[in-house]
Amino acid sequence: MSDTDNFLDDSLITTETTAPDSMAADQPMGGISDRAATRQARELSVGERPGTLTVREDSLAPRLFLISYDEQFFEEKEYTSYDEMLAFFHAHPQQRHWIDVRGYGDLPLMERLMQDFDLHPLQMEDVLGDYQRAKVEQFDDNRLFMVSRMTEFTTLLEIDDDQLSIFTGPNYIISFQDDYDDCLDTVRIRIRSGFSKIKQKPVLYLAYALTDVVLDHYYPTMAAIGDYIETLEERIFKGRADRRVLNRILHIKKDIVRFRRLVYPEREKIAEILRMPDDVIPEEMKLYFKDCYDHAIQAMDLAESYRESVSSLVDLYLSDQSNRMNEVMKVLTIISSIFIPLSFVVGLYGMNFQREAPDGTINRLNMPELYQPWGYPVLLSILVVIVAFQLIYFYRKGWLSNR
Amino acid sequence: MSDTDNFLDDSLITTETTAPDSMAADQPMGGISDRAATRQARELSVGERPGTLTVREDSLAPRLFLISYDEQFFEEKEYTSYDEMLAFFHAHPQQRHWIDVRGYGDLPLMERLMQDFDLHPLQMEDVLGDYQRAKVEQFDDNRLFMVSRMTEFTTLLEIDDDQLSIFTGPNYIISFQDDYDDCLDTVRIRIRSGFSKIKQKPVLYLAYALTDVVLDHYYPTMAAIGDYIETLEERIFKGRADRRVLNRILHIKKDIVRFRRLVYPEREKIAEILRMPDDVIPEEMKLYFKDCYDHAIQAMDLAESYRESVSSLVDLYLSDQSNRMNEVMKVLTIISSIFIPLSFVVGLYGMNFQREAPDGTINRLNMPELYQPWGYPVLLSILVVIVAFQLIYFYRKGWLSNR
Amino acid sequence: MSDTDNFLDDSLITTETTAPDSMAADQPMGGISDRAATRQARELSVGERPGTLTVREDSLAPRLFLISYDEQFFEEKEYTSYDEMLAFFHAHPQQRHWIDVRGYGDLPLMERLMQDFDLHPLQMEDVLGDYQRAKVEQFDDNRLFMVSRMTEFTTLLEIDDDQLSIFTGPNYIISFQDDYDDCLDTVRIRIRSGFSKIKQKPVLYLAYALTDVVLDHYYPTMAAIGDYIETLEERIFKGRADRRVLNRILHIKKDIVRFRRLVYPEREKIAEILRMPDDVIPEEMKLYFKDCYDHAIQAMDLAESYRESVSSLVDLYLSDQSNRMNEVMKVLTIISSIFIPLSFVVGLYGMNFQREAPDGTINRLNMPELYQPWGYPVLLSILVVIVAFQLIYFYRKGWLSNR
Amino acid sequence: MSDTDNFLDDSLITTETTAPDSMAADQPMGGISDRAATRQARELSVGERPGTLTVREDSLAPRLFLISYDEQFFEEKEYTSYDEMLAFFHAHPQQRHWIDVRGYGDLPLMERLMQDFDLHPLQMEDVLGDYQRAKVEQFDDNRLFMVSRMTEFTTLLEIDDDQLSIFTGPNYIISFQDDYDDCLDTVRIRIRSGFSKIKQKPVLYLAYALTDVVLDHYYPTMAAIGDYIETLEERIFKGRADRRVLNRILHIKKDIVRFRRLVYPEREKIAEILRMPDDVIPEEMKLYFKDCYDHAIQAMDLAESYRESVSSLVDLYLSDQSNRMNEVMKVLTIISSIFIPLSFVVGLYGMNFQREAPDGTINRLNMPELYQPWGYPVLLSILVVIVAFQLIYFYRKGWLSNR
Amino acid sequence: MSDTDNFLDDSLITTETTAPDSMAADQPMGGISDRAATRQARELSVGERPGTLTVREDSLAPRLFLISYDEQFFEEKEYTSYDEMLAFFHAHPQQRHWIDVRGYGDLPLMERLMQDFDLHPLQMEDVLGDYQRAKVEQFDDNRLFMVSRMTEFTTLLEIDDDQLSIFTGPNYIISFQDDYDDCLDTVRIRIRSGFSKIKQKPVLYLAYALTDVVLDHYYPTMAAIGDYIETLEERIFKGRADRRVLNRILHIKKDIVRFRRLVYPEREKIAEILRMPDDVIPEEMKLYFKDCYDHAIQAMDLAESYRESVSSLVDLYLSDQSNRMNEVMKVLTIISSIFIPLSFVVGLYGMNFQREAPDGTINRLNMPELYQPWGYPVLLSILVVIVAFQLIYFYRKGWLSNR
Ligand SMILES: [Mg+2]
Ligand SMILES: [Mg+2]
Ligand SMILES: [Mg+2]
Ligand SMILES: [Mg+2]
Ligand SMILES: [Mg+2]
Ligand SMILES: [Mg+2]
Ligand SMILES: [Mg+2]
Ligand SMILES: [Mg+2]
Ligand SMILES: [Mg+2]
Ligand SMILES: [Mg+2]
Ligand SMILES: [Mg+2]
Ligand SMILES: [Mg+2]
Ligand SMILES: [Mg+2]
Ligand SMILES: [Mg+2]
Ligand SMILES: [Mg+2]
Ligand SMILES: [Mg+2]
Ligand SMILES: [Mg+2]
Ligand SMILES: [Mg+2]
Ligand SMILES: [Mg+2]
Ligand SMILES: [Mg+2]
Ligand SMILES: [Mg+2]
Ligand SMILES: [Mg+2]
Ligand SMILES: [Mg+2]
Ligand SMILES: [Mg+2]
Ligand SMILES: [Mg+2]
Ligand SMILES: [Mg+2]
Ligand SMILES: [Mg+2]
Ligand SMILES: [Mg+2]
Ligand SMILES: [Mg+2]
Ligand SMILES: [Mg+2]
Ligand SMILES: [Mg+2]
């Protein structure tokens, strides 16, 4: 069994599940119904005062990372104490800082962060809710609140998305996310390196770099989906497509559409950034965001392209299903058409018409064939001829080949 | 029989019907035709003078609630006399008031309310008609007339929507709805509580809070639909999907599309509020409505996501139906292909070709097999071999497994 | 045979046809092809000088009605002489007038009307052509030319639409339509009544009232369609859906789409009226047109909802068709699977293998079963057991129930 | 064979082909692939200098017509010499002229026309290319270059479209087309007539009249398509729809979509004209173009309506195909279900169980039925009863009627 | 085997693959999954510093071509040394230059080009990434960065697209592409020729000419697709369409949709150019770009037209598949319906009802037919009559013809 086969194996999928947000693990047959959406819809705190902060029960305990830098300076540390981190932060007003919060599972800490960095409760609610579409909001004159959605094609064969929330300040940015792992390590590595452009530029550039890296990650997500579609296509072609394959096709189709819906607001967000006045987004930064904009459109094009492919797969599957029925019917038809007439013929000569009537007269017309010396061989020959003609007919129709 | 099964059981559905507006109770098989729409279309008073107030025959008698508050003050009461309520209202010009009217079944009272609070007959017609899309109208310079639609996923497995009409005034809001129960209790509880933000803010904030809570309720509605879709999907997977399941799928699809059409004008309404001048909607309030706007878009995204899931369910159902046909055909083909040839063979040896012609000559070629000492056992063995070959062939084709 | 059955009965339909514009009467099987569109397309006078007035051959002779009124005055009369009507009209310059022309079949009269009331030949061409989408045109500074389309769900089970053309003047409106019957009687009754708002307002209000009543009539049209869809759905559910039902479904689908295309320009028309300057449409009138606008959107929503329902009906019909095939196949498979093996077994014991060879030796192995004292009863028992097993198998598969 | 049959007859189609641009003649089976598009795409002179004039090899030799007129004057003539025509043209500067060029097959003449009338090479390239969508271009301050597409539903049962290019000048218009025949004769006749409005107005009115007549011709084209769709629908209903009918349906669907794509830019063109400043298009002329605009929208509505009808025809065809399969299966099932059990029964009594064992003992249990005096008649009666029950069952199922 | 057959032959396809970017060579069965998209998505350098230049491993070594010209001067040469080329370039500041770079496989050279011609790293990243949609960017006041995508319908029966990146400068343009071959030779030939318009105009005209030629090449690409679609259609009509044909149809459908997505941004690009101020794009040049704009729309129309055709092909294929099933079923039904009843009849007379009971009494009712002198011939005649009736029935149903 090849690799691609393995990865469609359901037992495998259920056991390999180790990712923390594996909402699909309990989903033995693929799952067309949008359980992620359902879960999201259920978790919203209905009717609460807007701006009420709540933290999901299964949230991870927050980890606090601080990266501080300027062109000469660099320090990176994980803090276990928020106060300690804040002290360091305030002690270095000349440096630029990235406060990197991962995990939301400590409500008082979240509230302190909100107050210490002048975040609006509605914004903080968006952060902790973890279901906000990509958006940008300008606040306090020239600060930005940016939401991105980080995507990943998981071992569960579906697209997982996590929220990255970024607030900018005069000399810092704060980022929030609910997982410890993310796709931002490349940025961290770039800052650590000696000559990073990030170090030379204002913090807005760092916010941009994070946004860019999230967008860049859309491509490997899409590439993984592309590989997966290819595997599904091969399955159909090898004739090993059963209902589960259709299920998977429909599932990934739903995910691709969802992906497109994730990227679309990302594009809108960047377009809004590009329309912001120059004192909020300097002209030079716009060049960079314009590049992001191109990438967002490109990602949507890719998603569109895959959606088309997956729709074709559905067509192909259905045609294949119909094809198999055709094949079954052909076997039935060939066998029946050959043997049913033969059965008639042999049944004919199984009749008991009597040569001799009870009164002793001879009925010469009653099945005289039965008494011919060559009767049986001739009949056998006739049967062979009938079969031969039928086979030729079916061959001509193309029913004997595996079309 | 499990829980999910129960909830698809039709008898159950018809008996559990207790909701006052149960237009689906008389709908034994699900109902793809949009009876709610038909009823709505029929009830409109065609050709009457615009602004003519009419009350549906089955309207509930109005109940009047008044919640009066300011930062120090709070009083909540249900009034049986409108005049009494009005007196209290006029006696407290410094407080803010929520006049909460539930049920329309008293036309003179409705007309008094209209006159006493300077509502336009066309607006009042919109209130009582109970079929107005979400909208906002600015009138008398800075008063607002806002319509929302409250949704619920009922025990009848469909989305029910009720209209909430809100008029703002300088120190009061009046809300109208035709049911006694609603989804606004969380707001009432928040006002009752000591330190509600609602008490500290102008009445517009209360109007916002109500709008927000209606929007928040879209999520549990959607979550219930999500669960329902999942149940339907399981049905199909367990192979227990009959025509009624298709019917339900098509029904819920229609409802999801309708839900999306309910939310869309809600989004437009909020967008229009966000475009209103600052003296009507203060800048600070816009922050709150912007949050609503995000939620409305999110709800539409959810609906879109479910629509996709339901479309996939239709595909799956149809493929499943075709699959079952396939299975039936395979059984027929296997049985026929095995036994029809066998029947031919045994028919062959049931022929009456005679070894002895009437004239006594021996026709040695006429079925000599019948006289062989091992004739019958050999034939039986041949039959077994034929069957074995066929079974191998079908096994190789995969027709013996339940693909 | 119930009522709903009757109304799907074709013979009935063809005999009940009494409406003057019954283009569907000669349409024995429902008619998917858009004959109304074809007729319309054919009747256009191709290449004639624009503004050339032509009157369809089957046009009704015009009937002239004049309703004159002000707050104190009211007079309503059908005139057989145009000059007489004009004399009365000119003799009452202080009153407001509704000149109500029904039927176009008198070209010179139409031309006199055009000249006497300063209508543009292109406008008059639009009136007589009877196929103009809803629109509004401003002319002579502040006069309006408004076209509406009045709809009706006919006894032929399709949507019929007629054109209502209205020209406004300083103290009069002229309306044109090609039928004697219309949906405007409610307005006439309202004017006749003592205290009509229409009498108190400028003629523009009357033009509005007519537009409003046409819009209001979209709802009963839609409600009738809703009932019809429900009947079709029941047909399918009772298993009595044949090709004619599909035809009707596709036909009504086409009509609903056409209805939506009728309403859409109506909405655009009202939106254009709402954008007109206040000296053409006073602010107060806009309130009324805004109400119309809501209704137009509501009607489009209804049409959209029905379109969705009808699409689902097509799905349901096709699935039902496939379902019936399934049922047929199951019967075939069950019967064949049971009896074909049995036939083999009895064929087996119909073979003529001889216990005694021609040379007199005994072939003990040739079908010794035939000579057992219990041979036949045992065989019958075996056959019963085979059948029992098969029935259990089919029962388990669920093929014996009517799923 | 009726008339409508004839016109679907393929042999007929291939022989009747006389139109000069009959690209479909060599298209024996209808042709879903868009050969017109392919031909068009192939003919473009790839990579040539923009503005290079080329003439298709099969172009007709140009014929030159000049119609000169003013309110008193009228002269119409076909010229064989361009110079002669030009001389006449220059000799009558007070008159208005329509230079009517039909056929492009003389490149030097085309180039002279371009230079003499100050046309831009890119414009002339658009003229000769013969594949330009409808458009309008303003050049030399107030001259117009207008392209229309003239349509026709040909005897080949498809929409043929030809380009009409019009240039306006101060006192003349030049029109180009590649066929000798066109749909503009009604305009020519109108000019010839004594009191034509065309004679009284500036040349722009003539350009308008030509545009209008092209638009007017969309209606008979659509009407012919409507008739054709009706014929196809009848075919299906009479059960005479084979694959060729599907092919034709798909073909005409493609053509209708193409038609809509032809009309859409026409509408855009007129909308652009309506937006032009008053010194290019006087206010009075706009009234006329507004009328055209209505017609263009109306034509698009018609096309949309037909597209809907044709889509329904596809559904109907597919359902019909499935229906026929159903019928075939029912025949098979009825025959098999009746006779297979009967065959079993008669096979049963064809078994050779012996009453007398070889040792002479009597096996009384071995098929005693065979020795009963009423055995055979009783069995025959049983068979009849079985058949009767089955027929009742099938009748109840409705399988015996032709549903 | 004809030519068109050959070109659908898979073996052929795999061996003919010589093009350098033959991503489809390893794609034995057509490939619905979008491998090009997947490859593209995978190759993006995720998370790298924006503006980081990377070169794909399989990039061709760059070849440098310089065409220098003015109205008198012309020199064209391929340089192996960049410095040499640069020297020549700087030595001729009065001439206009086209620096034509083909192949990216030399990163330091790419970086030198970037620096020497003041290109932005983000732009250079777009060039080397080779997956940028068509776009135009204005930089350094009046320089342009234009990206086009050159298309080709390859021998692998799919659309291949390559990126052409053009930077303009005061007296030069630089173009980049990753293949040695392209579709620009017609432009090169035009420059070489004595009287090219290109030589007389500023370099922007050359940039335009390249863009135009790329657009012109969309037409042969489309024409090839049109031919291919026609071949596929013929396949289906000749009844030789198997699953591979469906695969190809779905594949080309995907490609056509992709093509449309390629052209759309091209149109947007030109629209943006047309909106640029006159000092960047002189009025005269806009005339030329307007012509391009027409062509881009025309190309999109063509693609739309083909998409429609291909969708129809899918419908046709599926109907054809269903048709073949129908045919199979008809053969089965005819054979079974004829012979199964016959088999019953002959089985009937194969029964062993005994004329003589064991006790010697004569059972006259037991199958007296068997003893009639004409029994057998009469039975045979009856069988013939039954068959005849059935054949007539089937003929009437039209099942004997090949509908
Ligand atoms: Mg909330
Ligand atoms: Mg998360
Ligand atoms: Mg997650
Ligand atoms: Mg994660
Ligand atoms: Mg990027
Ligand atoms: Mg870029
Ligand atoms: Mg009304
Ligand atoms: Mg209600
Ligand atoms: Mg309700
Ligand atoms: Mg309720
Ligand atoms: Mg909310
Ligand atoms: Mg929020
Ligand atoms: Mg006309
Ligand atoms: Mg009518
Ligand atoms: Mg009419
Ligand atoms: Mg009528
Ligand atoms: Mg109304
Ligand atoms: Mg209203
Ligand atoms: Mg060109
Ligand atoms: Mg032509
Ligand atoms: Mg032509
Ligand atoms: Mg022509
Ligand atoms: Mg016209
Ligand atoms: Mg008109
Ligand atoms: Mg990057
Ligand atoms: Mg390339
Ligand atoms: Mg390439
Ligand atoms: Mg290439
Ligand atoms: Mg070009
Ligand atoms: Mg052009
Ligand atoms: Mg379909």
Side-chain angles (χ1 to χ4, degrees), chain A residues 34 131 135 239 243 327 329, chain B residues 294 298 305 320 329 397:
Chain A
D34 201 334
Y131 60 88
K135 71 166 176 182
R243 204 165 55 162
E327 221 179 304
M329 293 310 303
Chain B
D294 284 353
Q298 214 87 11
S305 197
D320 188 58
M329 294 310 304
K397 285 252 179 203

Side-chain angles (χ1 to χ4, degrees), chain B residues 117-342:
Chain B
F117 292 94
D118 276 331
L119 314 178
H120 194 281
L122 286 171
Q123 291 173 336
M124 203 62 195
E125 194 191 40
D126 287 345
V127 168
L128 301 185
D130 198 36
Y131 60 88
Q132 176 63 45
R133 291 156 51 108
K135 71 165 176 182
V136 63
E137 279 177 13
Q138 194 180 338
F139 70 111
D140 292 357
D141 284 346
N142 64 358
R143 294 179 66 187
L144 294 181
F145 169 39
M146 291 159 76
V147 178
S148 295
R149 298 209 72 83
M150 305 181 286
T151 62
E152 198 186 352
F153 190 69
T154 69
T155 53
L156 296 165
L157 304 175
E158 55 186 14
I159 298 175
D160 187 28
D161 65 301
D162 279 302
Q163 181 170 331
L164 176 68
S165 312
I166 302 172
F167 296 89
T168 64
N171 69 330
Y172 62 88
I173 69 165
I174 319 175
S175 73
F176 290 91
Q177 53 176 306
D178 74 340
D179 261 353
Y180 295 156
D181 297 328
D182 59 27
C183 59
L184 310 174
D185 281 339
T186 45
V187 176
R188 294 187 190 102
I189 291 167
R190 272 155 54 195
I191 305 182
R192 283 170 206 148
S193 83
F195 310 98
S196 169
K197 204 189 244 170
I198 298 173
K199 286 196 191 157
Q200 302 151 23
K201 304 232 171 184
V203 285
L204 188 59
Y205 186 87
L206 177 56
Y208 152 71
L210 293 174
T211 302
D212 176 58
V213 107
V214 167
L215 266 165
D216 280 3
H217 258 90
Y218 290 167
Y219 293 96
T221 304
M222 281 286 101
I225 284 182
D227 289 336
Y228 181 43
I229 291 173
E230 205 172 314
T231 311
L232 291 170
E233 185 187 352
E234 268 166 37
R235 272 275 165 123
I236 295 177
F237 263 101
K238 287 180 185 155
R240 285 185 293 140
D242 54 8
R243 201 164 56 164
R244 283 199 334 226
V245 168
L246 177 60
N247 201 26
R248 291 186 180 290
I249 294 171
L250 296 173
H251 188 162
I252 200 69
K253 186 176 165 202
K254 188 197 70 191
D255 265 21
I256 292 169
V257 171
R258 186 160 66 89
F259 180 84
R260 210 188 167 290
R261 258 203 310 278
L262 282 178
V263 182
Y264 185 81
E266 194 74 40
R267 196 194 71 163
E268 294 300 284
K269 177 181 94 179
I270 302 172
E272 200 174 332
I273 290 175
L274 290 172
R275 284 192 302 268
M276 283 181 175
D278 282 7
D279 58 316
V280 180
I281 308 288
E283 193 59 44
E284 187 220 22
M285 280 310 300
K286 280 190 180 162
L287 224 76
Y288 287 95
F289 279 110
K290 180 76 182 58
D291 188 56
C292 272
Y293 187 79
D294 284 353
H295 289 205
I297 290 181
Q298 214 87 11
M300 282 168 67
D301 272 10
L302 274 174
E304 204 55 43
S305 197
Y306 285 130
R307 207 186 51 72
E308 190 72 25
S309 292
V310 168
S311 291
S312 289
L313 272 193
V314 173
D315 281 0
L316 198 65
Y317 176 87
L318 293 177
S319 156
D320 188 58
Q321 197 179 28
S322 158
N323 217 42
R324 277 192 259 165
M325 173 90 91
N326 240 322
E327 222 179 301
V328 170
M329 294 310 304
K330 276 195 290 195
V331 167
L332 175 60
T333 299
I334 290 168
I335 300 272
S336 300
S337 299
I338 287 176
F339 286 102
I340 286 177
L342 297 192

Side-chain angles (χ1 to χ4, degrees), chain B residues 365-376:
Chain B
L365 294 172
N366 275 0
M367 311 192 78
E369 304 92 320
L370 296 178
Y371 309 98
Q372 305 309 320
W374 288 85
Y376 182 57

Side-chain angles (χ1 to χ4, degrees), chain C residues 21 39 56 130 149 160-163 178-179:
Chain C
D21 29 19
R39 198 197 45 156
R56 278 209 342 251
D130 199 35
R149 298 210 73 84
D160 187 28
D161 65 301
D162 279 301
Q163 181 171 332
D178 75 341
D179 261 353

Side-chain angles (χ1 to χ4, degrees), chain A residues 91-106:
Chain A
H92 294 78
Q94 306 300 330
Q95 274 68 42
R96 277 158 270 152
H97 306 271
W98 173 12
I99 304 165
D100 177 5
V101 184
R102 308 187 208 162
Y104 303 151
D106 181 351

Side-chain angles (χ1 to χ4, degrees), chain C residues 32-34 38 42 47 50 120 131 133 135 239 243 321 325 327 329 349 351 355 370-372 376, chain D residues 190 208 219 227 233 287 294 298 301 305-306 319-320 325 329 352 354 358 363 366 369 397 403:
Chain C
I32 289 164
S33 55
D34 201 335
T38 307
R42 210 192 322 275
H120 194 282
Y131 60 88
R133 291 156 50 108
K135 72 165 176 182
R243 201 165 56 164
Q321 199 178 28
M325 173 89 91
E327 223 180 301
M329 293 310 303
Y349 291 106
M351 292 194 299
R355 186 178 172 83
L370 296 178
Y371 308 98
Q372 305 308 321
Y376 182 56
Chain D
R190 271 156 56 194
Y208 152 70
Y219 293 96
D227 289 336
E233 185 186 353
L287 225 75
D294 284 354
Q298 213 87 12
D301 272 10
S305 197
Y306 285 129
S319 156
D320 189 59
M325 172 89 91
M329 293 311 302
N352 294 322
Q354 297 295 322
N363 300 330
N366 274 0
E369 303 92 320
K397 286 255 180 201
R403 246 195 335 175

